[in-house]
Structure formats: C-alpha cells, structure tokens
Amino acid sequence: MLALKKNNPILTAPLEWVAALALTVPTYIIFFIGMEPYMQAIAYSLYGIPICLVFIRKRHFPLSPRFIILWTIFLVFWITPSILNRISPTLESDLVSLPVLFYHVVMLSAVVIFLNIYVQDKKSISKELLMRSIFWTLAPMVLLIFFKTIYLDFQEDARPSPFRVNTNTNAEIIFTFMLVAFRLTGNIIKFIAIVLAITTCYILESRGGLIACYIALLLTYGLPWLHANFKHKYFLFFLFVIFFISVFFYNEIYSLVNSVLMLDIRLSSLTDRFIVWELAIESIIQKPFSGTGFWVNPMGYSVPKGFPEWATIDNYQLVVHNAFLRIATENGLLLFLMIISFVVISCYRLLKNKFFKDFALVISVLFFLFFCTRHLTLNLMNVLLYFTFIRALTLDRKFSSK
C-alpha cells in the first residue's frame, strides 16, 4: 500500500501540472456546463487540490509568521463588515449571504496559501512553468471560443456571444490566455497566441479586453526596450519625432486610436456604469467602514431615483462594474486601503527588479478590473493577479531573477 502511494502519478507529478489543471478546469466547467452558484461552488472546490497535495508531500504548511499575520488581518477586514451588516436590524441585512462569503474565504485562502508556499520553494519550483502549464491547459478552450466567434460573426450581425456566455466573460478568458502566452519560450506560438487573442477580442467588441491586451503587450515589450534605450543618444531624437508626428497628424491619429481601441461604439453602456459608480461612491460616503456586505449591491431593495426607466434591481448592467469601488462599497475602506497598499508595493518592487512581464500583468489586469464586476473572486484571471502580488511581496527575500 505504501509503495502504491509512492508510485501514484498524482503524488509524483510536477506540482505545476497538477496546479494548472486544478486552476483551469473550473473555468471549463463554469463556461461550458453552467454558471449557477452551486455549479461554481463545485468547480472552484478543485482549487483545494494543490494545497492538499502540498500537505501530503510536506506533512505541514511552511508559512512564515509575516504571511500569517498579514493574511489574518486581510481576512478580518474582509469578514467583519459582512457579519456586522448581517446582524444589523436594517432591511438590507437579509441580502448578506454568509455562506457565500465564507466559501470565498476558504477557497481563496487555499489558493493564496498554496501560491505563497509555491513562490518560496526555490529549490523544487520553476516559477514560469506554472504559467506555461496554464497556457497549454487553456489552449483548447480558447481555440473553441475563437472558431465559434468567427462562425457567429459570419452568421449574424449582432455582437457575438460564443456558447451563449456573456461576451465579457469570453474576453476575460482570451485576455488571460494572452497573459500566460508571454511566458512561452517559443516565439512563433507566442506570436500566434497574441494575434489570436487580439483578433478575438476585436470581433467580440470587448473594449475592456482589447485595451487590456494592448496594455499588456505594450508594457511587456515596450518597457524593456525603453529601459535599454533610455540613455541612448538617439532616444531624445526619437521622442521628438513621435511628438512632431502627433502634432501634425493629430486628427488622423485620434480617429485611428478610436477605431483600434473601439472607443466609438456603445457609449451608452459606459454612461450606465457612471450612474452605478456614483451610487457606489455615495454608499462609501454613508458607510465608509461597515460597507454593504460582501456581494451586496448598494441599490438594496429599490432602484434609486435618477436611474434609467429600464432599470431593475437584478439587472446585470447595474452591478458595480469596478473592482476597486466594489471592494470599498461592500467591504469598507480598511480592506480597500490594504489592497491598494499591496498594489503600490507590488508595482514598485516589480519595476525596481525589472520584472516587466509581471508588472505588465498587474497593470493590464487592474485596468480590466476597473470596468468589470470581478473583485475578490476566484476566477483564473484574478488568481494570476494574486500570484503576481505574492511573488512581488516576497521579491526582496525569496525571488530569483530567473
């Protein structure tokens, strides 16, 4: 029996492969089978596999006191506002779902603890292999989305929604695919993946996904070039030429940028988001520390005055489409400020150590989150962001430049 355990392929397989499957398969399940809450709970339960495997192999969780203290404070700031709102005598207290909160807390803790152990295990871990493993695991799904998008675009004039899944969800998966493609060693496959991602986002008419792809691409390859050439004698001349062209061809460049970034379509949807953002800001002012509770819309049980006539309480468009505002609205300013400090410190350390790919991932994902409903969620794109934060926060002590 003991020998059988030692030869078990799950126990002996590279940790990156197991983690890539555990982190990516839930995306397949939710996308192709269903997005119902119970289906998501079943799918995301796979996130517990990597940390269980670590425990089986190491017989303990090698966590530093610093990590335990920081994560405990984070959880206190996250959980407390929802509990206070749930036990309050207000009508909206019924909207707080503690099971939803604690499920996210448990699964996110499992992911963060695993990633923290993974990053600090310098001897047996290849830090880029996890990203590449996720790429190959995600590739079949992305190809299906790409071909389905092309098919729908030829079949009808309406905006494509591959597999009847929200367009922004499709774009998020495509964008995530491009982020992990940057970690490939082969330039040909990497180039194909980048072109496929940008083309798909463009056909999907996803401005957020498309611009996020451009930002990631520009920072990943532009920052190293800028760093290498900043002190070059021809650099200032190059900047002058760019400025000269921009001044004399302003109208043409402006039209081209609008077209490439798809800024000239569906302006009404952006206006609707401004309305909800204003509501979120008002809610933060009224409840700066207690918030409304995790996953609770500040709208409550009634549509506020001034909203469009079509507005309903359960309308997806009227959820706060901004991760930062949503965190501050639902969980209060203490958690919001803690997360902002993580962002600032991470960006500083990544730039200081010239980890341009990681910096590009952080900035592009944060841009995407600025216009979507994701916040403290378990989706794959956010997991990559958590992974990069953890890598950055342990940079000075545990990181190698490889």
Side-chain angles (χ1 to χ4, degrees):
M1 188 69 177
L2 184 60
L4 184 63
K5 286 185 177 180
K6 289 182 178 180
N7 294 327
N8 192 312
I10 297 178
L11 298 180
T12 58
L15 188 58
E16 291 86 358
W17 297 358
V18 177
L21 285 171
L23 296 175
T24 309
V25 169
T27 304
Y28 279 86
I29 295 173
I30 295 170
F31 188 88
F32 290 111
I33 299 179
M35 296 188 176
E36 296 79 8
Y38 288 107
M39 183 58 65
Q40 292 192 43
I42 294 172
Y44 286 131
S45 64
L46 296 178
Y47 281 4
I49 293 177
I51 191 63
C52 290
L53 187 58
V54 167
F55 182 77
I56 292 172
R57 290 180 177 183
K58 296 180 177 292
R59 298 298 180 183
H60 71 289
F61 296 138
L63 302 175
S64 66
R66 178 173 174 266
F67 171 81
I68 294 173
I69 292 172
L70 279 177
W71 188 242
T72 300
I73 295 172
F74 185 91
L75 293 181
V76 169
F77 287 169
W78 185 8
I79 295 172
T80 303
S82 292
I83 294 178
L84 293 177
N85 279 283
R86 186 66 181 87
I87 63 178
S88 69
T90 60
L91 180 64
E92 288 79 10
S93 64
D94 290 338
L95 295 173
V96 180
S97 176
L98 294 183
V100 171
L101 169 65
F102 286 112
Y103 179 83
H104 279 77
V105 167
V106 170
M107 298 316 302
L108 187 56
S109 295
V111 170
V112 169
I113 291 173
F114 164 72
L115 293 176
N116 181 72
I117 297 172
Y118 178 87
V119 165
Q120 296 189 62
D121 192 351
K122 294 176 62 177
K123 295 181 180 180
S124 60
I125 294 300
S126 171
K127 294 178 176 61
E128 298 298 310
L129 182 55
L130 177 59
M131 294 286 201
R132 294 196 291 269
S133 300
I134 291 175
F135 172 87
W136 292 112
T137 310
L138 201 59
M141 182 180 190
V142 170
L143 289 174
L144 288 173
I145 294 175
F146 171 72
F147 289 119
K148 185 69 173 182
T149 301
I150 297 292
Y151 172 78
L152 292 175
D153 189 56
F154 278 108
Q155 288 294 313
E156 52 191 40
D157 295 330
R159 186 184 182 190
S161 293
F163 303 100
R164 298 183 181 180
V165 175
N166 184 278
T167 304
N168 293 326
T169 302
N170 279 276
E172 178 189 311
I173 295 170
I174 297 297
F175 167 57
T176 303
F177 176 73
M178 195 183 88
L179 290 177
V180 292
F182 291 144
R183 311 305 173 118
L184 297 176
T185 55
N187 289 328
I188 295 178
I189 298 178
K190 187 187 303 183
F191 176 78
I192 293 173
I194 292 171
V195 172
L196 185 149
I198 292 176
T199 302
T200 307
C201 285
Y202 193 86
I203 299 175
L204 289 171
E205 298 182 15
S206 173
R207 288 173 299 192
L210 184 64
I211 297 175
C213 286
Y214 286 143
I215 292 174
L217 190 62
L218 180 64
L219 293 179
T220 298
Y221 295 103
L223 279 180
W225 179 87
L226 188 64
H227 180 267
N229 294 276
F230 185 73
K231 295 182 180 180
H232 198 276
K233 60 182 179 180
Y234 296 114
F235 183 74
L236 291 178
F237 175 74
F238 173 77
L239 291 182
F240 176 77
V241 171
I242 296 296
F243 176 76
F244 181 83
I245 294 174
S246 300
V247 169
F248 282 89
F249 297 94
Y250 171 79
N251 291 330
E252 290 78 4
I253 294 174
Y254 180 77
S255 299
L256 178 63
V257 169
N258 272 346
S259 177
V260 170
L261 301 183
M262 307 181 77
L263 298 176
D264 51 355
I265 63 171
R266 299 193 318 280
L267 295 178
S268 59
S269 62
L270 191 58
T271 303
D272 295 337
R273 292 183 184 182
F274 286 149
I275 296 175
V276 183
W277 290 354
E278 291 176 2
L279 177 64
I281 294 172
E282 292 175 2
S283 178
I284 295 170
I285 294 173
Q286 294 174 2
K287 300 179 178 181
F289 299 106
S290 63
T292 59
F294 185 62
W295 222 269
V296 177
N297 193 318
M299 193 178 299
Y301 281 108
S302 61
V303 178
K305 294 181 180 179
F307 272 59
E309 295 181 358
W310 53 263
T312 56
I313 297 173
D314 57 349
N315 193 303
Y316 174 79
Q317 295 296 326
L318 300 180
V319 178
V320 180
H321 282 68
N322 183 299
F324 306 100
L325 284 178
R326 192 164 181 182
I327 290 171
T329 302
E330 297 180 6
N331 305 281
L333 291 177
L334 291 178
L335 185 67
F336 170 78
L337 292 175
M338 189 174 186
I339 291 174
I340 292 298
S341 66
F342 287 161
V343 172
V344 173
I345 294 172
S346 297
C347 290
Y348 170 76
R349 290 188 176 181
L350 291 173
L351 283 177
K352 177 184 176 182
N353 291 274
K354 304 172 187 176
F355 283 84
F356 299 122
K357 290 180 182 178
D358 292 314
F359 180 77
L361 185 149
V362 169
I363 298 301
S364 57
V365 171
L366 290 180
F367 174 85
F368 193 95
L369 291 174
F370 199 87
F371 297 98
C372 74
T373 61
R374 305 291 197 186
H375 52 323
L376 295 173
T377 49
L378 300 169
N379 54 303
L380 182 59
M381 181 186 72
N382 277 22
V383 169
L384 294 182
L385 182 64
Y386 308 147
F387 180 36
T388 308
F389 281 158
I390 293 172
R391 297 178 77 181
L393 294 173
T394 57
L395 245 171
D396 292 341
R397 298 178 299 112
K398 295 290 184 179
F399 224 92
S400 66
S401 60
K402 182 178 178 180

